[in-house]
Amino acid sequence: YVPDKFSANKFGVRHYAEPVSYTVDGWCERNRDALHADLVELMKKSSVSSLFETDDKRQKTVASKFRRRLKTLLEDVSRTETRYVRCVKPNSEASSSLFDAPSVCAQLRCAGVVAAVEMTRAGYPNRSGHAAFLARYGRLTSESDVESVARSLLGERRHAVGKTRVYLGPGVLEFLERLLSTAHARSATSVNTCARRYLQLRRFSVLRQTAILVQRRRRGFVRRRAFVSLVAASITLQAVARSRRARKATKHKRRRVSATRLAAWAKTRSELHKFTRVRDASVRIQTLVRRVLAVLFVEKLRRNAIERQKMENQLDELRRRLDEEKEQRERVERRLSSDTLTDESTRMLDYLRTEVVALTRTCDALRRENDILRTHHERGQQARASAQQSVAAVAAHVRFLGDKNASIKNENRQLLKATAVLKEELAMRQAIYLNQVAQNAKLRRVMESMVDTADVRGCDRSLLEELRVMADLPLHE
């Protein structure tokens, strides 16, 4: 107990870490809490029972809630594995950039952290199970027992081996970690050495295989070049023989093409001559037909004009007679009004009968003439139809001749195109021929060099003679 010098309501209690101050102001308000039921029953039976006459419905205070929560916390802690987190205030001003070292040390001291560390260092600060200890440090020795491993690694250093754990003194864990790091470094060095040796061996193997491949390809190139030179010589000989056969075939083909061209030209000339004659004949036929048609048409027009003139004259004559009869009828009517009406009417009737008979005869004559004209007209139409059929036949023949002319022209164009193609082919063959002449000259030089080389190297006499014969072959026929 430590009394306060400045206030009677304050006092202090000296704990193991440092003194803690308390105040009695508001003590009852802060600690107004309901008592336990058994404590209330006990106090009711005492001499001061009047002070504890309270109802059963008591209010729950902050202390009771705290006590209940603390009890629940203790139950949870007892069921689980405890882990503690120490909260330390760096300063009392709640500033993020200020660190009060004395205050922090006091908090750690009051929380018992310093004392716990001191006690831990006084004993065995590091602990480990047997399986974990063997799994981590057993590889450093060849022992399989925990006690043997600890004895061989630690020796006289502070440690203890229990039934389930291994207890390590201060600095022992750091020593074991240094041993493990050293072992890891040696293992890494060994692995690095093996890896580098493997890489160098593989590099050497690759270089050796590459050198073998280069040598094989060089030898193959030399042999292949010799073989290619022999193949080229044989191909050259084959080309000479094939060129001779090709020249013969080309000469035969040229003769055949020339004969075909001459036959086509002769056929074209014959067809053109036939076409010219047919065209001239068709023109003459068309001229004659058109002249006949024109003569028939003019004759028909002339007859029609004559008939029309006759009809007009007859109509004028009829009109004149009708006028005269009208005048006579008027005179007769005037006479009938007089005394001699009967005689005049009789004479007029006789006269009219005579005129009717004459008009009937004239009408019959006109009908007969009309029938004759109709017959002539039908004959003219038949002649015109036959002439039109002749003209249609001539036109069909003309169209046939035109189609024939078009086909001949098309053949002529095709012949011209074929002539152009043949000219191009001839030019190309001339170029090929000149190229073959140059190749043959080059081949002759090659053959001469081959003969000289074979003679110098002392080849077989029969082979040398064959080469000389082949070198003396004519280049062109």
Side-chain angles (χ1 to χ4, degrees):
Y1 175 76
V2 179
D4 192 272
K5 298 179 180 181
F6 302 102
S7 176
N9 296 330
K10 294 182 178 181
F11 64 93
V13 177
R14 186 182 301 279
H15 292 276
Y16 72 92
E18 63 179 6
V20 179
S21 298
Y22 297 94
T23 180
V24 298
D25 295 335
W27 181 274
C28 294
E29 287 77 6
R30 291 196 303 272
N31 295 278
R32 190 181 300 276
D33 196 2
L35 298 175
H36 290 285
D38 54 354
L39 183 59
V40 171
E41 292 295 332
L42 179 63
M43 296 305 294
K44 282 182 179 180
K45 294 178 182 179
S46 65
S47 59
V48 291
S49 60
S50 60
L51 297 176
F52 295 95
E53 293 179 358
T54 59
D55 54 353
D56 295 336
K57 298 180 180 180
R58 293 181 294 273
Q59 298 291 331
K60 293 183 179 181
T61 61
V62 176
S64 63
K65 294 179 180 180
F66 177 75
R67 194 163 43 249
R68 187 173 61 256
R69 292 176 181 175
L70 182 61
K71 183 179 178 181
T72 305
L73 179 61
L74 291 175
E75 291 176 356
D76 294 339
V77 168
S78 64
R79 287 196 307 268
T80 58
E81 187 176 357
T82 309
R83 294 288 187 273
Y84 295 99
V85 178
R86 300 290 183 181
C87 298
V88 180
K89 289 179 62 177
N91 54 74
S92 58
E93 286 79 6
S95 176
S96 60
S97 61
L98 183 60
F99 185 79
D100 190 0
S103 177
V104 172
C105 290
Q107 293 179 48
L108 293 175
R109 192 178 295 108
C110 291
V113 175
V114 177
V117 170
E118 289 177 354
M119 286 188 293
T120 303
R121 292 187 67 83
Y124 296 99
N126 302 110
R127 305 172 187 180
S128 177
H130 287 181
F133 186 81
L134 284 176
R136 186 166 180 82
Y137 306 109
R139 71 191 71 173
L140 298 177
T141 61
S142 60
E143 303 293 337
S144 60
D145 187 18
V146 177
E147 293 183 0
S148 301
V149 171
R151 191 183 304 111
S152 62
L153 292 177
L154 300 177
E156 299 298 329
R157 288 179 177 80
R158 187 178 178 185
H159 70 282
V161 180
K163 291 184 179 181
T164 60
R165 293 178 178 270
V166 178
Y167 300 90
L168 303 177
V172 177
L173 182 63
E174 290 79 359
F175 173 72
L176 290 175
E177 291 297 328
R178 284 198 299 273
L179 290 179
L180 186 62
S181 299
T182 303
H184 286 171
R186 287 198 300 269
S187 300
T189 302
S190 300
V191 171
N192 194 6
T193 302
C194 294
R196 289 181 178 178
R197 183 177 61 183
Y198 170 74
L199 293 175
Q200 293 297 328
L201 286 174
R202 189 171 66 177
R203 183 182 177 186
F204 171 74
S205 177
V206 170
L207 290 175
R208 186 176 63 182
Q209 294 295 332
T210 305
I212 293 171
L213 180 63
V214 170
Q215 292 176 1
R216 183 170 67 248
R217 289 187 177 179
R218 175 61 183 173
R219 292 168 184 170
F221 172 74
V222 173
R223 298 292 178 83
R224 195 178 300 110
R225 187 171 60 183
F227 175 72
V228 167
S229 62
L230 292 176
V231 170
S234 63
I235 291 172
T236 305
L237 295 175
Q238 292 176 4
V240 171
R242 290 174 182 174
S243 64
R244 294 180 65 185
R245 289 196 300 269
R247 281 194 295 272
K248 291 181 180 179
T250 304
K251 183 181 293 184
H252 179 67
K253 187 176 180 180
R254 285 176 181 174
R255 291 176 179 175
R256 185 175 58 191
V257 170
S258 299
T260 304
R261 289 179 185 175
L262 290 174
W265 181 79
K267 187 177 180 180
T268 303
R269 294 288 295 176
S270 176
E271 292 296 333
L272 286 174
H273 183 66
K274 291 179 181 178
F275 171 73
T276 304
R277 288 187 299 173
V278 171
R279 185 182 59 186
D280 296 338
S282 63
V283 170
R284 287 195 295 271
I285 290 170
Q286 289 178 2
T287 304
L288 294 174
V289 170
R290 288 173 183 173
R291 185 175 64 184
V292 170
L293 292 176
V295 169
L296 292 174
F297 183 70
V298 170
E299 183 66 24
K300 182 181 177 182
L301 290 177
R302 187 176 60 80
R303 286 198 303 269
N304 290 334
I306 293 171
E307 291 176 357
R308 191 180 298 109
Q309 187 66 32
K310 288 180 179 180
M311 293 295 292
E312 288 178 357
N313 294 332
Q314 290 177 1
L315 289 174
D316 292 337
E317 184 67 25
L318 290 174
R319 288 192 191 98
R320 186 179 58 78
R321 290 180 180 181
L322 288 174
D323 292 336
E324 290 178 355
E325 289 177 359
K326 186 176 180 182
E327 291 177 358
Q328 290 177 5
R329 190 170 51 253
E330 289 176 356
R331 287 196 300 268
V332 168
E333 288 177 357
R334 284 194 301 267
R335 291 175 182 176
L336 287 175
S337 62
S338 63
D339 295 334
T340 60
L341 181 60
T342 304
D343 298 333
E344 290 293 334
S345 60
T346 302
R347 287 194 298 270
M348 183 59 67
L349 287 173
D350 294 335
Y351 176 74
L352 288 174
R353 287 190 188 97
T354 306
E355 291 296 330
V356 167
V357 171
L359 288 174
T360 303
R361 291 175 181 174
T362 305
C363 185
D364 293 335
L366 290 174
R367 280 197 195 95
R368 286 193 298 271
E369 291 179 359
N370 191 12
D371 294 335
I372 294 169
L373 290 174
R374 187 180 294 112
T375 304
H376 288 299
H377 180 68
E378 290 175 357
R379 291 177 180 175
Q381 287 183 350
Q382 292 177 359
R384 183 179 179 183
S386 62
Q388 287 179 354
Q389 291 177 359
S390 301
V391 171
V394 172
H397 188 65
V398 169
R399 283 195 299 272
F400 172 74
L401 293 177
D403 295 337
K404 190 69 174 179
N405 188 17
S407 63
I408 291 172
K409 287 182 178 179
N410 191 10
E411 291 178 359
N412 191 12
R413 285 194 296 270
Q414 291 178 359
L415 289 174
L416 291 176
K417 290 181 181 179
T419 303
V421 171
L422 290 172
K423 287 181 179 179
E424 293 178 358
E425 185 178 359
L426 180 61
M428 183 179 66
R429 290 185 179 279
Q430 287 178 354
I432 293 172
Y433 180 74
L434 293 176
N435 190 11
Q436 288 181 354
V437 169
Q439 289 181 358
N440 290 333
K442 184 177 179 181
L443 179 61
R444 182 181 290 277
R445 290 194 296 271
V446 171
M447 293 296 296
E448 291 176 356
S449 63
M450 289 176 64
V451 170
D452 296 337
T453 304
D455 193 8
V456 170
R457 292 185 180 182
C459 293
D460 191 6
R461 289 296 178 182
S462 60
L463 177 61
L464 187 60
E465 292 296 333
E466 290 180 0
L467 291 175
R468 285 177 179 174
V469 171
M470 291 173 66
D472 292 336
L473 286 174
L475 295 178
H476 306 289
E477 292 183 358

